[in-house]
């Protein structure tokens, strides 16, 4: 069985390099046979694609997609450009 840090690195690389995702800001944690994805993305479709790519990279693990979908289109209070 592969060491968890190698599996995590493989999943992280897949998320960064796969044409469907190109995502660098996702944290990959592995505990036993559980794979956790954490971070923030701007759309539900991207969240689903990340889960799909992670599952393909490590199909032997149970996936927990804890990525939060954040709407970046609404500027926050501190981002006013007057």
């Amino acid at each position: 069985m592969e060491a968890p840090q190698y599996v995590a690195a493989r999943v992280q690389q897949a998320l960064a390099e796969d044409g469907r995702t190109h995502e660098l800001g996702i944290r990959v944690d592995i505990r036993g046979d559980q794979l956790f994805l954490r971070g923030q993305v701007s759309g539900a479709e991207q969240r689903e694609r990340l889960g799909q790519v992670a599952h393909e990279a490590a199909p032997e693990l149970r996936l927990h997609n804890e990525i939060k979908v954040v709407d970046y289109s609404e500027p926050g209070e501190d981002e006013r450009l007057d």
Side-chain angles (χ1 to χ4, degrees), residues 62-76:
R62 258 195 43 234
L63 177 66
H64 299 275
N65 190 340
E66 298 180 358
I67 296 169
K68 291 179 177 45
V69 176
V70 178
D71 186 1
Y72 293 118
S73 63
E74 306 242 337

Side-chain angles (χ1 to χ4, degrees), residues 24-70:
L24 297 170
I26 299 302
R27 214 168 81 231
V28 177
D29 291 316
I30 293 176
R31 291 198 205 106
D33 65 346
Q34 317 281 306
L35 166 62
F36 295 87
L37 297 181
R38 297 191 177 102
Q40 295 183 338
V41 295
S42 58
E45 294 87 6
Q46 179 72 343
R47 181 185 184 277
E48 291 306 310
R49 284 192 296 265
L50 287 162
Q52 180 80 36
V53 171
H55 176 70
E56 290 170 11
E60 70 279 7
L61 299 179
R62 258 195 43 234
L63 177 66
H64 299 275
N65 190 340
E66 298 180 358
I67 296 169
K68 291 179 177 45
V69 176
V70 178

Side-chain angles (χ1 to χ4, degrees), residues 12-23 49 53 56:
Q12 200 116 43
Q13 185 174 6
L15 297 179
E17 293 179 358
D18 192 289
R20 292 167 289 176
T21 50
H22 284 303
E23 196 70 54
R49 284 192 296 265
V53 171
E56 290 170 11

